[in-house]
Amino acid sequence: MPLARNLMPAAARRALSALYALLWCSAGPLLFLSPRMRQCWRQRLGFGRPAPCDVWVQGASAGECALVASLLEHLPGVRVLATSCTSQGLDVLRKANASGLQARMLPLDLPWLMGRMLDRVRPQAVVLLETEIWPGLLMACADRKVPVIVVNARMTPKSLAGYLFLRPWLRSFAPTAVGAIAPADARRFGLVFGSGRTSVTGNIKFDRAMNAPFLSRPDNPLAAFVPEDRSFLVLGSVREQEETAVLYLMERLHAADTQCVIGLFPRHMHRISAWEALLTKARVPWTRRSALTGPAAPGVILWDAFGELGQAYALARRAFVGGSLARLGGQNFLEPLAQGVLPCVGPHTRNFDWVGGEIFGDLVFRSPDVAELTRFLLEPAPPRDTVRAKALDYVRARQGASAASAALVAPFLSRRDHD
C-alpha cells in the first residue's frame, strides 16, 4: 500500500507532538472536574493490568461500541481489548456476546500513557471505529510499528476542515488502512491521510439494522392496553425541543379522529410531568401508561415505562419518530419499519443520513409540515408483513460491511507470534 508523503520536517513534527502532550498535561486536572471524566478515573490514567490481546478496538461511546460485536463475529478466536470514552460505551461492551472480550476505559490521549498500554497488551493491530482519530494513540502505535485500521470510517465536511489544517502533522503517524462507510467519506479521509490508504467497505450499522423480532399481536404484552377496534398511533422518542410542534400534531389527530388512541413516548422520562401539564392545558384527554389496567380510552397514553417502544410500534397503525422536528438529528426510524409500520419524520434526520436518501419515499415520509404529517398518520395502514419485507430488502442490499471491515484487519493478525 503506498504511503502518504510526510509534509512536515521532523523537527516540526516533534515540536507539535510535544505541544500536544503538554496541552493534555495542562488540561488533565481540569478534565477531572467533570463527573463524567471522574468515572473509571484509574483506567483513564492507565492504571490496572489488562490481559494481552490480539486486537485493541476503540469506540467513543455507546453507538460505536455497539458495532464491536458485529465486527468480532467475523474475527473468531481473536482476543480483544475494547475501550470506550464513556460509561455507556463500557456497558454496551460488557453486554456484548463475544468470547475473549475485555472492556476498559480509554486512557487519556497522552502518547506515553497510550504507549504503556500498548506495551502491556501487545496487540497485533489497533482498530478505531468511525472518527476515532486520537493523535497520542496513533503516535504510540507508529513508534511501535503497530498497524492501525479505521473501520466504519466517517468524516463530515466540517471535521475535514479541522483535520486538513493539521494534515502535515497527522500524516506522520497516519493509520495503515481506512475502511469508509461511503465514497464521500473515503475521499475526505484520503485528503487527510492519503488516498492509497482508503477503501469503501460500507456501514456496519446495516448489518445490525432490522434485527428486532417481528412481534404479532397475540405475542405482544401490550395488546391488552390497546383496543384492536381503535386506531393506535405512536409518537416515539419525542424530544423537549419539539414538544410544542408535537402537541399541535396530537391536537390535530385527536380533532380528526376522536376515537383514536395515541401512544406518546417522551425520549427522556423527566419530561413526563411537563407533558401532563401541556396535555391538560390543551384539554387533550390522557392517562399514564402505569395507570392502565385494561384497554385505554380514546386520547393519549403518556408512556412512563421504559423499554416498551418496540412493542408499541408493533401495535401501531402508523408512527411518528421524534428528534426530527427540531435540529436534533432525529431518532431511529428503522425501529417501526422492523415491525412493519410506516413511519413519518420531520426534516431533521442527520443522525440517520447513513441509511440513505432513497428510503424517504415509499418507506419513510419526511415533511416539516405538521398538517402533512397529520394526514400521513391518519391514512390506512398497508399490511405489516409487506412493509417489513420491503424494508428488509432495502437493508439487506446494503449489508456486508462487518465482513469487509474484518477483512481489512485479518491480514495483520498472523504476521507474528503473539504470546
Side-chain angles (χ1 to χ4, degrees):
M1 181 179 294
L3 298 179
R5 181 171 56 92
N6 286 332
L7 303 177
M8 179 178 285
R13 292 200 303 272
R14 287 194 296 270
L16 270 177
S17 299
L19 176 61
Y20 180 77
L22 180 62
L23 289 173
W24 266 103
C25 290
S26 302
L30 297 176
L31 290 175
F32 283 91
L33 294 175
S34 163
R36 183 178 70 84
M37 290 299 294
R38 288 198 298 272
Q39 294 174 333
C40 303
W41 65 269
R42 289 181 58 84
Q43 293 185 13
R44 291 188 193 274
L45 293 176
F47 292 108
R49 297 196 66 84
C53 66
D54 301 313
V55 178
W56 175 359
V57 182
Q58 159 61 17
S61 190
E64 293 83 1
C65 291
L67 308 179
V68 172
S70 297
L71 180 66
L72 297 188
E73 287 177 3
H74 300 275
L75 294 171
V78 173
R79 297 173 298 172
V80 176
L81 167 66
T83 56
S84 180
C85 303
T86 67
S87 57
Q88 294 89 343
L90 278 185
D91 289 341
V92 170
L93 292 171
R94 288 165 179 160
K95 293 175 183 175
N97 185 22
S99 61
L101 173 66
Q102 54 178 324
R104 288 178 60 89
M105 194 69 77
L106 182 74
L108 299 180
D109 194 42
L110 282 159
W112 66 270
L113 273 183
M114 292 299 190
R116 188 169 67 173
M117 179 70 81
L118 287 167
D119 292 339
R120 286 176 177 172
V121 301
R122 292 169 289 154
Q124 298 185 50
V126 170
V127 176
L128 307 178
L129 285 160
E130 299 206 347
T131 319
E132 288 293 277
I133 300 174
W134 293 98
L137 176 55
L138 289 170
M139 282 187 273
C141 287
D143 288 344
R144 291 158 180 79
K145 296 182 171 53
V146 177
V148 177
I149 303 96
V150 186
V151 302
N152 225 59
R154 60 185 180 89
M155 184 183 292
T156 65
K158 183 177 179 180
S159 297
L160 173 63
Y163 289 129
L164 286 178
F165 179 74
L166 297 171
R167 175 172 58 180
W169 179 55
L170 292 172
R171 281 202 178 188
S172 64
F173 43 81
T176 308
V178 176
I181 65 173
D185 297 277
R187 286 192 295 272
R188 292 177 191 127
F189 271 92
L191 287 171
V192 178
F193 294 117
S195 58
R197 301 174 186 270
T198 63
S199 61
V200 178
T201 50
N203 197 323
I204 295 174
K205 291 179 180 178
F206 277 116
D207 294 348
R208 302 174 56 252
M210 300 287 293
N211 58 359
F214 192 47
L215 194 59
S216 65
R217 185 178 180 91
D219 296 327
N220 197 316
L222 301 182
F225 305 129
V226 179
E228 194 168 4
D229 59 347
R230 288 199 179 101
S231 172
F232 179 53
L233 305 171
V234 170
L235 312 183
S237 300
V238 174
R239 303 282 294 275
E240 180 178 356
Q241 296 89 331
E242 61 188 351
E243 285 176 356
T244 300
V246 172
L247 179 63
Y248 180 46
L249 174 62
M250 284 192 292
E251 289 175 321
R252 292 182 64 95
L253 290 170
H254 184 64
D257 182 358
T258 59
Q259 295 302 302
C260 77
V261 177
I262 301 169
L264 172 61
F265 286 76
R267 177 68 176 172
H268 300 112
M269 286 293 110
H270 71 267
R271 298 302 300 168
I272 292 291
S273 297
W275 269 113
E276 289 178 344
L278 288 170
L279 291 167
T280 300
K281 184 177 181 180
R283 298 185 177 180
V284 176
W286 62 271
T287 187
R288 279 191 179 224
R289 154 70 180 90
S290 58
L292 290 177
T293 57
V300 173
I301 305 174
L302 182 53
W303 231 275
D304 59 350
F306 286 103
E308 295 183 344
L309 180 56
Q311 297 166 2
Y313 279 140
L315 295 170
R317 181 172 76 180
R318 294 196 174 209
F320 165 80
V321 181
S324 58
L325 284 172
R327 294 183 180 277
L328 300 167
Q331 301 299 140
N332 190 353
F333 50 72
L334 294 177
E335 289 180 348
L337 286 172
Q339 297 302 327
V341 176
L342 291 177
C344 62
V345 294
H348 305 293
T349 55
R350 180 188 68 255
N351 294 344
F352 288 84
D353 283 350
W354 60 268
V355 178
E358 303 89 345
I359 203 166
F360 298 110
D362 292 343
L363 286 171
V364 181
F365 178 72
R366 181 168 59 179
S367 174
D369 188 341
V370 170
E372 290 185 350
L373 297 176
T374 303
R375 285 194 292 272
F376 174 86
L377 290 168
L378 292 173
E379 290 175 1
R384 289 179 58 211
D385 54 353
T386 301
V387 173
R388 178 175 166 87
K390 191 170 184 178
L392 282 172
D393 287 344
Y394 183 95
V395 167
R396 285 170 178 164
R398 292 159 174 80
Q399 289 179 336
S402 298
S405 299
L408 283 181
V409 180
F412 301 101
L413 300 185
S414 58
R415 61 190 184 96
R416 59 177 170 84
D417 293 334
H418 193 73
D419 299 329

